[in-house]
Amino acid sequence: MKSFFFKKILIFLFVFFLFMTMFSCQPISSTQDAKNFSNAMIKAFFIGDEAYNKFGISKSDKTVTPGTSNISNFSNSHFGSELNDYFTYTKIEFSNSEISYEDARYTVNGTLYCAVDSTFSSDHFEATIILYGSFEVTKDGKTQDVVFDAKYTLTFTVKDEDHDGVYDFNLSGSFLSYVNDFVVNDSSWSITFSGKWFTS
């Protein structure tokens, strides 16, 4: 009887640790991973044709197609009901695109649908941005299917002090994102990076 009990305990522990090992190997396996990925995606939305410093993605692996997205692409988004004709729609195709946030680096394949409602001046921008897409995401050799759904409310300033086409971006605001089963609600965030306009 005692031997049977210990066998059941050992089987349970084996299955538990096997499950935890498999789950922890995924690129998005914690709320912090989901937050890092959400920050990397908003930078990928803004960054331009070439990588600068350790940020951004290159022209060869990102294609921006303005006007090819619409409200129907957000039918499965948590934020789809907030969209209207005031938003501008675009679509970004990622093909083995490298995106990053701090030390987290991802290779992304898939389509990101973007909706933006904004007001801006020459160096100041306020916007509500809704991003939705399905991706194959690889990090540290591990690959995972990821559904990304996020709403960013942000203010950012942009400066090109050297007049070389490379802008310094400072974004601040809040976001609510759904990355598979993880929910990130960050009401106070700020990131700074450099690169070209995503439309350049």
Side-chain angles (χ1 to χ4, degrees):
M1 185 74 161
K2 189 179 287 186
S3 174
F4 178 71
F5 175 75
F6 282 120
K7 282 183 180 178
K8 287 180 72 174
I9 292 295
L10 287 173
I11 290 171
F12 171 78
L13 289 174
F14 175 76
V15 171
F16 175 77
F17 284 115
L18 181 64
F19 174 79
M20 291 303 292
T21 301
M22 290 174 61
F23 185 71
S24 63
C25 288
Q26 295 179 321
I28 312 295
S29 59
S30 70
T31 302
Q32 186 60 51
D33 290 337
K35 183 175 181 179
N36 289 342
F37 186 74
S38 297
N39 279 323
M41 289 303 291
I42 193 65
K43 286 202 299 186
F45 174 77
F46 279 102
I47 251 332
D49 289 343
E50 298 177 8
Y52 291 92
N53 301 323
K54 66 174 185 176
F55 301 119
I57 56 182
S58 68
K59 182 176 181 180
S60 62
D61 52 30
K62 185 178 96 172
T63 304
V64 181
T65 49
T68 58
S69 174
N70 55 55
I71 292 176
S72 66
N73 297 124
F74 297 86
S75 59
N76 293 321
S77 169
H78 291 82
F79 311 106
S81 62
E82 301 179 30
L83 298 174
N84 54 48
D85 291 339
Y86 292 104
F87 281 81
T88 299
Y89 297 90
T90 190
K91 179 176 73 173
I92 301 175
E93 298 284 353
F94 293 90
S95 177
N96 292 320
S97 305
E98 289 190 6
I99 67 173
S100 65
Y101 178 71
E102 294 183 344
D103 294 328
R105 301 188 67 85
Y106 309 91
T107 301
V108 179
N109 288 280
T111 302
L112 180 66
Y113 297 102
C114 315
V116 181
D117 184 15
S118 62
T119 58
F120 58 91
S121 63
S122 60
D123 61 356
H124 182 85
F125 179 85
E126 292 184 9
T128 297
I129 300 174
I130 295 175
L131 304 178
Y132 181 81
S134 298
F135 304 96
E136 182 183 82
V137 178
T138 301
K139 179 187 174 193
D140 300 329
K142 306 297 182 181
T143 301
Q144 179 183 11
D145 290 331
V146 173
V147 175
F148 176 68
D149 188 16
K151 174 184 176 182
Y152 298 83
T153 302
L154 60 87
T155 299
F156 94 102
T157 56
V158 54
K159 296 180 180 178
D160 181 11
E161 295 181 344
D162 297 330
H163 304 289
D164 58 358
V166 181
Y167 294 86
D168 294 322
F169 297 93
N170 180 265
L171 291 86
S172 61
S174 64
F175 69 85
L176 172 61
S177 67
Y178 298 83
V179 185
N180 286 356
D181 296 327
F182 296 99
V183 181
V184 182
N185 191 356
D186 193 334
S187 59
S188 179
W189 63 279
S190 179
I191 55 177
T192 301
F193 56 95
S194 299
K196 293 185 178 181
W197 266 125
F198 79 97
T199 53
S200 61

